[in-house]
Amino acid sequence: MGYLLWQLTMLWTRKVNQNLQQLELTHTQLIVLVCTQWLNTMKHQVIQKDLVDAIKLDRMLISKLVSKMVDTGYMDKKRSEKDSRVTVLSLTPKGAGLLAKAFPVMRQTEQEFFGLMEDRQQYVIEELKHLLDLVDPEHIV
């Protein structure tokens, strides 16, 4: 079962990366942008640990991704006004613009890929959510 999930994940990631290539963006980078924006609407200040908790990627990988997104001008890192030891993350206008272009590409890819399941799609979503609740009761969704 794990191998099947891994195979499907790899096919999905490959398809998303192919479709995002026109924007010079990877699936993982898109997830970092989406989560940063989403978390900024949920919290006053977003820090790297928030991304680690939400995305479930290694701390070092998130750090490298954030650095790359800052270097390309898609994200901003600023010292917290409340605590100078804390670095707060946000999207720049350039990052928000890229996200606005990338999101429809992601939605179209999702429809093409998961639309193949037609009437079973909602059932699979509910089962995956249930499994996630069992494995990680404190997940962020």
Side-chain angles (χ1 to χ4, degrees), residues 23-53:
L23 298 172
E24 298 180 4
L25 189 66
T26 67
H27 186 210
T28 309
Q29 290 169 333
L30 175 61
I31 297 300
V32 168
L33 291 175
V34 168
C35 282
T36 301
Q37 183 182 47
W38 179 72
L39 288 168
N40 268 300
T41 64
M42 305 297 285
K43 297 179 70 166
H44 180 61
Q45 293 185 334
V46 176
I47 61 173
Q48 249 174 233
K49 183 178 181 327
D50 296 325
L51 290 177
V52 169
D53 293 343

Side-chain angles (χ1 to χ4, degrees), residues 52-137:
V52 169
D53 293 343
I55 301 173
K56 306 288 187 230
L57 285 177
D58 178 73
R59 219 176 35 155
M60 289 305 297
L61 181 55
I62 292 288
S63 179
K64 287 179 183 178
L65 287 164
V66 167
S67 291
K68 180 172 175 96
M69 301 309 270
V70 168
D71 290 345
T72 55
Y74 297 131
M75 289 180 70
D76 196 18
K77 286 169 69 169
K78 291 185 179 175
R79 291 283 173 204
S80 169
E81 294 174 6
K82 296 178 182 176
D83 185 346
S84 64
R85 298 169 296 170
V86 175
T87 302
V88 179
L89 304 172
S90 61
L91 295 188
T92 63
K94 182 179 175 182
L98 179 62
L99 185 55
K101 292 176 187 173
F103 206 74
V105 173
M106 180 69 162
R107 282 284 184 214
Q108 179 64 35
T109 305
E110 196 171 272
Q111 180 56 40
E112 291 169 6
F113 194 88
F114 296 110
L116 297 171
M117 293 189 307
E118 297 175 359
D119 59 332
R120 293 195 266 167
Q121 192 171 357
Q122 193 56 43
Y123 170 77
V124 172
I125 289 169
E126 293 305 318
E127 289 301 306
L128 289 173
K129 285 180 178 179
H130 177 68
L131 181 58
L132 187 56
D133 286 340
L134 293 172
V135 174
D136 184 13

